[in-house]
Amino acid sequence: MKKSALVVIDMQKFFFSENPQVDEQALAKNCSEIIDIARQAEIPVIHVMTLYREDRVDWPRAWRHDGQSWCSNLVREEDSAQVVDNLVVKPHDLVVEKRRFSGFYNTNLDDVLRSTGCDHLYVVGYSADVCLRYTSVDAYNRGYGVTLVYEGIESFRETKDESVAYLGWLIDASCLTMAEFKKELIGSTVH
């Protein structure tokens, strides 16, 4: 039997201010419900967040010359770097800070997952065609199974369905609806 964790990617205010066509409230509500299901099933919840230092020493080299970089508001102390309203990070949740597209790149995410015995990830968050994609591919490359929860993801430059199809083709990621996720984890349907 697989041992799973829920990985929540980049649910930070900044990303939704940059992409106003995504319904932040709806995605936050869905992710919150998915997180509640994971907590009920007693699987680890891991929030992966893009955060940089204000002095820019941890910014990608290509961004350091430009103080107006599109991610310059993702500084730990900035309000825009915080988790969106209506999504609560609880004290027993784990938080992983990343500085590149993948939640695995130069972070302790793999160590955290291996220490909990996980071999499978449920993945939600933003954006299914960038950070969620890179994190999922890196998970696959490290031997983890990946399942997306459909209502808990959104994309930036392509449709959500295109992102799901691409990850299904590339890394054999499966995708569940929230009702299927709940049934798989705790055996009942979402109402």
Side-chain angles (χ1 to χ4, degrees):
M1 187 171 146
K2 65 186 175 191
K3 179 152 169 98
S4 301
L6 176 66
V7 178
V8 183
I9 307 284
D10 285 344
M11 287 297 293
Q12 295 162 265
K13 295 175 185 178
F14 169 80
F15 294 108
F16 298 95
S17 67
E18 289 292 304
N19 191 5
Q21 68 264 26
V22 172
D23 186 343
E24 172 188 335
Q25 297 303 316
L27 184 59
K29 179 184 177 291
N30 290 343
C31 285
S32 184
E33 289 180 36
I34 292 164
I35 290 168
D36 287 344
I37 293 166
R39 288 178 181 142
Q40 287 175 40
E42 298 180 350
I43 68 169
V45 175
I46 303 168
H47 298 268
V48 177
M49 299 172 59
T50 303
L51 292 170
Y52 298 102
R53 290 172 42 133
E54 190 171 8
D55 63 9
R56 303 181 189 167
V57 298
D58 57 356
W59 285 20
R61 185 178 314 259
W63 298 353
R64 289 187 197 160
H65 72 282
D66 177 12
Q68 300 304 312
S69 172
W70 73 276
C71 283
S72 61
N73 291 330
L74 286 169
V75 173
R76 225 173 255 108
E77 294 77 24
E78 295 286 331
D79 183 60
S80 61
Q82 304 311 307
V83 172
V84 296
D85 296 334
N86 303 320
L87 196 70
V88 177
V89 178
K90 293 199 174 179
H92 59 277
D93 293 346
L94 301 164
V95 176
V96 172
E97 294 182 10
K98 69 181 179 68
R99 285 156 196 83
R100 301 298 189 270
F101 296 141
S102 173
F104 286 96
Y105 182 81
N106 284 345
T107 72
N108 65 342
L109 180 57
D110 192 47
D111 293 336
V112 167
L113 292 167
R114 295 206 189 278
S115 73
T116 61
C118 289
D119 60 0
H120 177 265
L121 306 181
Y122 293 102
V123 183
V124 297
Y126 186 81
S127 168
D129 56 332
V130 184
C131 294
L132 190 144
R133 176 176 288 171
Y134 280 82
T135 301
S136 295
V137 169
D138 278 356
Y140 171 83
N141 287 337
R142 286 168 171 78
Y144 296 99
V146 176
T147 301
L148 310 172
V149 183
Y150 189 79
E151 294 88 341
I153 63 172
E154 280 299 340
S155 287
F156 180 58
R157 296 190 182 272
E158 64 188 22
T159 69
K160 176 170 41 174
D161 290 334
E162 289 170 327
S163 295
V164 168
Y166 182 80
L167 286 170
W169 168 78
L170 185 65
I171 64 168
D172 199 28
S174 60
C175 186
L176 300 175
T177 65
M178 192 182 323
E180 292 166 334
F181 173 72
K182 183 172 185 180
K183 186 174 183 179
E184 185 166 300
L185 263 62
I186 56 180
S188 61
T189 59
V190 176
H191 299 292

